[in-house]
Amino acid sequence: MTRTAPQRTTTGWMPLAVLATAQFLVVLSTSIVNVALPQIRAGLDLSDTGQAWTVNAYVLLFGALLLPGGRAGDVHGLRRVFLCGTGLFALSSLGAALAPTTAVLIASRAVQGMGAALLAPTALALVLTLYPGRERRGTALGVWGAVSGAGGAAGVLLSGLLTSLYGWRAVFVVMVPLALAVLVATRLLVAADRPRGGSLDVPGAVTVTAGLVALTYGLSGPWPLAVAGAVLLGLFTVRQRRAAEPLLPPRMSVVAVPNVLMALLGAVWLGLFYFLPLYQQRTLDYSPLAAGLTQLPLALMVTLSSWATGKVSGRAVLPTGLLVLAAGLAWLSRTPADGTFPGDLLGPTLLIGCGLGVAFVRLTALASTGVAAADNGLAGGLVNATRQLGGAIGLSFLTLLPSFGTAFLACAALTLLLCALSTLPTRKA
């Protein structure tokens, strides 16, 4: 089996700007649709099921295909798979914008999720390859975390503006020129890498994809699907021990602990951004646009702390950031019915943004430390997949809690558990 020849590194930061824009698109496409759902429902006469699948079709395919998407980059070439994913993302965004029926919209969202699953892990893998060394990689991952954090709040804000001014189709239209710009810029600025050869473990990819889709959907729907998903994932684990070229080889155990921690962070991350807008709109009577505007300090703090974290090192950085995050979530759990932005939201969200930025950047760095260059795509897929899966599983349990306050308090408790586990021995990032 041949290995990928190391792609030449770069002395400039323009390739990072392009790849970070692609990551921004992935995060944006997850959050921008939520605020527009009422208009989409009215425009296409969506049923409750159709409305749910407008979101689920993207999320399920994206989360389930991240692992095979990342490995495909290692086998067939990171830039090649990244370009394919970006092209697919652009075409499916256009399809969603022009969708005449519910079926076309849901199908377009599913293909958009497939494109994102090829795009996201290979983009991260290209960053890891182009910017080696602790200092340059730290700076690159700091930018990466900043973009990821800002994308969620930007989606809420942009969705409110676009739907108010131009209607729901604009939330899909806006992603088309951005994706095309990334496509052109990548061809110009990012050098092609040679595929490492070998073959993709297709049975393993099918099993893990079906297992993740069934588990994720079953956790919030029919429980037999969740059981079937768990069984399929068990079969995937057994098969990986026998496959000649497994999708998830034993050597990736070097990043097992960071990925478990990332799964817990995913539960906290998704729980926060699910319940915070609901608390703002249902309890405090904020409009969607007001909810987006009042999340800007949170997004700004995630951006700043991510950037700063990329420039520092030390074992105490991650636990300290997690303690700050837990404190902010505990403060937010008060959720007074007559709360005000300056008195009850600004302080806790600033702490939360600071802690989230630190945690995301440090865990992403740890999840790639010790991984061979030939496995960078797999490492990118794995860390994205564990965050998505952890978020889906965590949210399915958090939605069972009786109030927004208890949900935020549960997120604080999860963060304290994450803080304790972060002291387990692992490789330095």
Side-chain angles (χ1 to χ4, degrees), residues 28 39 142 153 182 209 211 253 267 277 282 334 341 389 407:
L28 184 71
Q39 282 203 19
V182 167
T209 300
S253 62
R282 292 184 183 178
R334 293 172 56 250
F341 173 69
L389 183 59

Side-chain angles (χ1 to χ4, degrees), residues 14 48 167 192 232 255 282 339 372 382 412 418:
M14 283 303 295
D48 289 341
L232 285 170
V255 291
R282 292 184 183 178
L382 186 59
L418 177 52

